[in-house]
Amino acid sequence: MTFNFLKFYKRSFVLQWLILFSLSAVVIIGLSAYYYYSIQKIEYLRLSTHESNILKIAKTAIEQSLESVEKDLNYLANNQDFKSTIHTPSQEDTERFSQECQLFAFYAKVYDQIRWIDEMGTERIRIDYHQEYPIIRTFQELQNKSNRYYFLETMELSAGKIHYSPFDLNIENGKIEFPYKPMIRISTPIFDKNNKRRGIFIINYLGSELLGKFSLNTSSSHGESMLLNQEGYWLSAPKEEDEWGFMFQNTEANMAFRHSLAWKKILQKTSGQFQNDEGLWSFETVNPLLNATILEESSTDEKEQKYYFKAVTFIPNKVLDAQKEKLLLPILPITGFLLFLASLINFVIIHYRRKESETQQRLLQSYAVIQQMNDPVMITDHGGIITFVNPAAEILAGYTAQELLGKSPNVFKSGKHSKKEYQTLWKTIVSGKVFRGTVINKRKNGELYHEDKTITPIKNEIGEIIGFVSTGKDVTETSLHNKKIEYIAQTDLLTGIHNRYQLQKLYLIELERAQRYSLPFSMILIDIDNFKKINDTYGHDAGDKVLQHLAHIIQKNLRNIDIFARWGGEEFLVLSPNADLNAAKTIAEKLCTVVAKFSFPDVGPVTISLGISTFQDDDSFDSMFKRADSGLYDAKEHGKNRVGEVKND
């Protein structure tokens, strides 16, 4: 038999090509899969973080709305005219205070009713918001509410306590009012000057305003947003027909019925996020009574703990799967192209392996392909010296290849990472492991950028590390977006200073430091005198400018270590570390003087009243705040524009 060399050569060539191509295909598909799952993980993290953040913002909006109602309730219930009215009721006093409540309701535009119900359950004052205008009801129109749950339950409360009714639909003449009118009744017991219980003061808050804020703040959700009561009934739902199921005895229009497993998990924690067979759930708990600003006691009883709402967003798995497919679409053609390219390169390598010069030419072609990649690629030797960068890396960093070759990657250091972090990175890759993480680097022009970086050790055939290949992706825009959301969650957007929730976090940090080193720690509560008059006279825009200028003045005249935040409305709060009572009083008096000397645009002179307190053993935030508030009240009582007398410090 004659040996057919040509046939053998062709068969050997195909076999070698198949083996080499199979290995290349495994690597390319593996890298594509890794890249796909990496960007999928990043996208999932971005999406889940976004959902959590919008819920926190929505929660804050709800709490601020309810807090505003609580403050209005407290203002009216403790109004001196009203105190006089209930102490020695007269028709003239009652009519005068009714007119004040009418004016209050007219400007607020969110209260369906404002009422005083006496200790016998009889309405003594009632303001109804009717056809876009509040109406004072006559004596003949007033009713007895002694058998209503909100009257009975509020009458059992101690002074300063707040009662919240269930969030439900208004009922008129035994029927649900249509169009639907969501309502929350918020009430507090009232006492005359002899501390005798004289009934309750109650505000009917139009819940549509609260639901509107919730919908607005969750409108950017990638899925469905919903607000539920503690029994799992929808107050705001993706489908209108599912809302207010408890009002229509529709027990199936309930999350506990339709999504029982998810609802059980949501009930277990105050906030969180999880994914089950249905999709991605994110949730926050809103408990108005835990944040009530006029409670006398810092502890919360069991009844208060049971009153809450659940703010939830839900992204179905089909939406998540669609997002995964969307991420996969651009990868498939690239992977196909790389496989085709690999098959071509393998063909070239095998066919021209006997011809060294031709093989080198093919390798240069492959090198040119790498040069066209959109993602930055950098190669260093085993000592970390740069030996190669592709054009994408040059564009990202702002350096030319000539400026980088032979240099250390230290040229990209931004100063945003510690020496220990760089040591950990180097220790990881020299041990033969792959480093993955987001780093902040610096461009040639000094600009900072965020890069998702993967650094992989390059090993020779005997396993020795001969260099490192670094691939990256510019994620600056995504990182800055997340930081912006974090800033919004921690900052009062009107004044640019801390909001109350960030201040409460910083309070715990400063308190721990003060206790650890036995240092004094004080609190200064600030309130703008006659601020309502400013708003009524010059308008809310002028009032907002007063708040902004005041925040700037106070911030400018505080110490660097003082923490300054807007507590709410026209109230501000200062935490003064390493300041005893005398030091805090000095700071407060300085602020009072500086503000009084300033002429506010459009408004003129504005004054402030201040109260201070200093940390004592076993103090809590609420107890410190209560003493500062008592000092503030003292300042108001003695003519305003002063620092109030400090009690119990």
Side-chain angles (χ1 to χ4, degrees):
M1 179 181 295
T2 304
F3 181 77
N4 191 331
F5 179 82
L6 182 60
K7 183 177 181 180
F8 173 78
Y9 177 82
K10 289 182 178 180
R11 185 166 58 187
S12 176
F13 177 88
V14 172
L15 181 61
Q16 291 180 46
W17 179 85
L18 283 174
I19 293 172
L20 194 56
F21 175 73
S22 297
L23 293 174
S24 301
V26 169
V27 173
I28 292 171
I29 293 173
L31 289 174
S32 297
Y34 169 75
Y35 176 73
Y36 169 62
Y37 286 113
S38 296
I39 62 174
Q40 179 181 313
K41 185 177 180 180
I42 293 172
E43 177 62 18
Y44 181 84
L45 179 61
R46 182 199 67 79
L47 186 147
S48 59
T49 301
H50 173 76
E51 296 298 304
S52 294
N53 286 334
I54 64 172
L55 280 180
K56 289 177 182 177
I57 294 172
K59 173 185 176 181
T60 300
I62 293 174
E63 289 178 341
Q64 289 177 343
S65 295
L66 295 177
E67 179 187 338
S68 177
V69 180
E70 291 171 10
K71 286 191 173 183
D72 288 347
L73 177 68
N74 186 37
Y75 168 77
L76 293 173
N78 292 282
N79 183 285
Q80 292 303 317
D81 290 342
F82 181 58
K83 289 291 186 181
S84 299
T85 300
I86 62 174
H87 186 69
T88 54
S90 69
Q91 183 176 353
E92 181 181 353
D93 288 340
T94 301
E95 289 177 354
R96 183 170 57 251
F97 186 68
S98 295
Q99 291 170 356
E100 184 174 343
C101 291
Q102 182 186 35
L103 185 63
F104 194 91
F106 175 77
Y107 284 110
K109 299 188 184 304
V110 293
Y111 300 137
D112 188 59
Q113 283 188 341
I114 299 177
R115 292 179 287 172
W116 165 35
I117 302 176
D118 67 18
E119 64 271 25
M120 302 303 295
T122 300
E123 293 177 335
R124 301 293 295 274
I125 293 176
R126 189 172 96 216
I127 312 300
D128 287 348
Y129 204 83
H130 181 67
Q131 294 181 351
E132 305 299 323
Y133 190 82
I135 297 175
I136 301 174
R137 293 302 182 184
T138 64
F139 175 78
Q140 291 77 12
E141 295 176 293
L142 300 180
Q143 303 173 13
N144 186 280
K145 302 293 183 179
S146 59
N147 62 342
R148 298 305 300 269
Y149 73 92
Y150 53 81
F151 173 77
L152 297 173
E153 293 180 5
T154 308
M155 285 291 287
E156 295 178 359
L157 299 180
S158 58
K161 285 284 189 174
I162 292 178
H163 177 270
Y164 271 82
S165 75
F167 194 175
D168 56 17
L169 300 177
N170 196 46
I171 297 178
E172 288 291 337
N173 300 319
K175 294 182 179 180
I176 296 174
E177 186 175 353
F178 187 84
Y180 298 150
K181 186 186 287 185
M183 195 75 63
I184 301 178
R185 298 167 185 84
I186 306 176
S187 54
T188 186
I190 54 176
F191 300 82
D192 62 18
K193 295 179 181 179
N194 296 324
N195 205 29
K196 179 181 178 182
R197 191 181 295 269
R198 298 306 300 269
I200 70 171
F201 204 92
I202 180 168
I203 291 178
N204 288 18
Y205 174 51
L206 291 169
S208 55
E209 193 256 356
L210 184 147
L211 294 176
K213 287 187 177 180
F214 174 77
S215 298
L216 178 64
N217 283 288
T218 57
S219 60
S220 63
S221 170
H222 294 277
E224 304 170 347
S225 60
M226 56 195 81
L227 186 67
L228 307 99
N229 65 16
Q230 63 266 37
E231 296 176 349
Y233 286 99
W234 281 285
L235 307 176
S236 175
K239 298 179 180 178
E240 289 187 12
E241 58 266 27
D242 290 334
E243 296 174 349
W244 311 106
F246 62 94
M247 298 294 298
F248 303 97
Q249 289 77 48
N250 184 3
T251 57
E252 294 185 4
N254 184 296
M255 186 171 173
F257 177 81
R258 296 188 186 174
H259 308 280
S260 58
L261 296 179
W263 181 244
K264 288 179 181 178
K265 282 193 174 184
I266 291 173
L267 288 177
Q268 290 173 359
K269 297 181 179 180
T270 57
S271 64
Q273 198 169 58
F274 62 88
Q275 186 173 1
N276 60 10
D277 293 339
E278 296 175 293
L280 176 65
W281 299 88
S282 308
F283 62 94
E284 286 283 345
T285 302
V286 182
N287 191 327
L289 287 170
L290 289 180
N291 297 289
T293 57
I294 64 172
L295 293 181
E296 287 189 334
E297 303 172 4
S298 59
S299 60
T300 305
D301 59 35
E302 181 180 355
K303 183 175 181 180
E304 291 169 348
Q305 294 174 4
K306 290 181 179 179
Y307 188 88
Y308 57 84
F309 307 128
K310 289 288 185 178
V312 180
T313 64
F314 168 61
I315 304 178
N317 278 330
K318 62 180 181 180
V319 176
L320 297 175
D321 292 340
Q323 186 66 25
K324 293 177 184 178
E325 293 176 3
K326 184 178 179 181
L327 295 174
L328 184 61
L329 286 177
I331 296 176
L332 290 177
I334 296 174
T335 303
F337 172 75
L338 291 176
L339 289 172
F340 170 76
L341 187 63
S343 66
L344 186 62
I345 293 173
N346 291 335
F347 178 87
V348 172
I349 291 173
I350 295 171
H351 185 70
Y352 291 99
R353 61 170 24 183
R354 298 168 183 83
K355 302 176 182 180
E356 187 64 26
S357 60
E358 295 181 11
T359 301
Q360 183 65 32
Q361 183 63 31
R362 292 299 183 186
L363 290 175
L364 289 175
Q365 292 178 2
S366 299
Y367 174 81
V369 172
I370 297 174
Q371 288 281 72
Q372 301 302 315
M373 292 179 63
N374 291 326
D375 289 333
V377 178
M378 181 176 69
I379 298 175
T380 66
D381 62 20
H382 67 283
I385 301 302
I386 300 171
T387 59
F388 168 82
V389 290
N390 71 345
E394 293 177 78
I395 294 172
L396 180 61
Y399 291 92
T400 65
Q402 288 73 22
E403 291 174 318
L404 293 174
L405 295 179
K407 302 289 183 60
S408 166
N410 288 340
V411 298
F412 305 121
K413 279 188 176 181
S414 62
K416 298 296 183 180
H417 298 287
S418 65
K419 182 178 179 181
K420 185 176 180 180
E421 288 177 292
Y422 287 116
Q423 290 174 342
T424 301
L425 184 155
W426 182 251
K427 185 178 179 180
T428 299
I429 60 177
V430 297
S431 67
K433 298 178 181 177
V434 177
F435 169 82
R436 300 181 182 88
T438 300
V439 297
I440 302 175
N441 284 334
K442 182 171 67 175
R443 294 187 172 94
K444 181 180 179 181
N445 62 6
E447 292 179 352
L448 301 183
Y449 63 95
H450 297 243
E451 183 179 5
D452 272 351
K453 184 174 287 294
T454 299
I455 305 177
T456 305
I458 304 172
K459 300 179 181 179
N460 60 19
E461 53 272 10
I462 62 174
E464 295 176 331
I465 296 176
I466 59 174
F468 306 93
V469 58
S470 169
T471 59
K473 187 174 186 66
D474 185 4
V475 293
T476 305
E477 187 172 333
T478 300
S479 298
L480 293 178
H481 177 69
N482 291 337
K483 286 185 178 180
K484 183 177 180 181
I485 292 177
E486 182 180 357
Y487 171 83
I488 292 173
Q490 298 176 353
T491 305
D492 176 62
L493 298 183
L494 177 64
T495 61
I497 61 177
H498 296 308
N499 61 23
R500 66 183 299 165
Y501 302 101
Q502 179 66 5
L503 178 127
Q504 288 174 321
K505 292 180 182 178
L506 296 174
Y507 168 84
L508 297 177
I509 296 173
E510 293 301 329
L511 177 61
E512 193 275 336
R513 181 183 291 114
Q515 290 176 325
R516 178 185 297 178
Y517 299 106
S518 300
L519 298 173
F521 179 47
S522 296
M523 176 185 293
I524 305 173
L525 181 60
I526 304 168
D527 184 82
I528 302 175
D529 296 328
N530 305 313
F531 187 71
K532 183 179 183 299
K533 184 177 180 181
I534 293 174
N535 279 333
D536 292 344
T537 305
Y538 302 98
H540 288 278
D541 288 342
D544 287 347
K545 290 180 181 178
V546 169
L547 293 172
Q548 291 169 337
H549 281 89
L550 180 67
H552 176 74
I553 294 169
I554 293 176
Q555 184 79 71
K556 185 178 179 181
N557 286 277
L558 289 173
R559 304 174 303 166
N560 291 336
I561 61 174
D562 292 329
I563 299 168
F564 181 40
R566 184 180 178 191
W567 186 246
E570 67 272 24
E571 287 188 332
F572 297 81
L573 200 62
V574 178
L575 301 180
S576 293
N578 199 18
D580 59 15
L581 189 61
N582 289 332
K585 189 173 183 180
T586 299
I587 295 170
E589 289 174 344
K590 175 186 176 183
L591 297 177
C592 188
T593 301
V594 171
V595 171
K597 291 180 179 180
F598 184 80
S599 179
F600 289 77
D602 300 329
V603 175
V606 173
T607 63
I608 57 174
S609 297
L610 305 92
I612 57 178
S613 65
T614 301
F615 178 77
Q616 301 175 356
D617 291 340
D618 300 324
D619 244 345
S620 66
F621 181 94
D622 288 343
S623 58
M624 282 189 74
F625 183 90
K626 183 178 179 181
R627 293 199 304 277
D629 190 45
S630 177
L632 176 62
Y633 182 81
D634 182 79
K636 295 284 188 180
E637 286 290 301
H638 289 82
K640 305 177 182 178
N641 189 24
R642 65 186 64 233
V643 180
E645 181 181 353
V646 182
K647 301 178 181 179
N648 300 325
D649 260 317

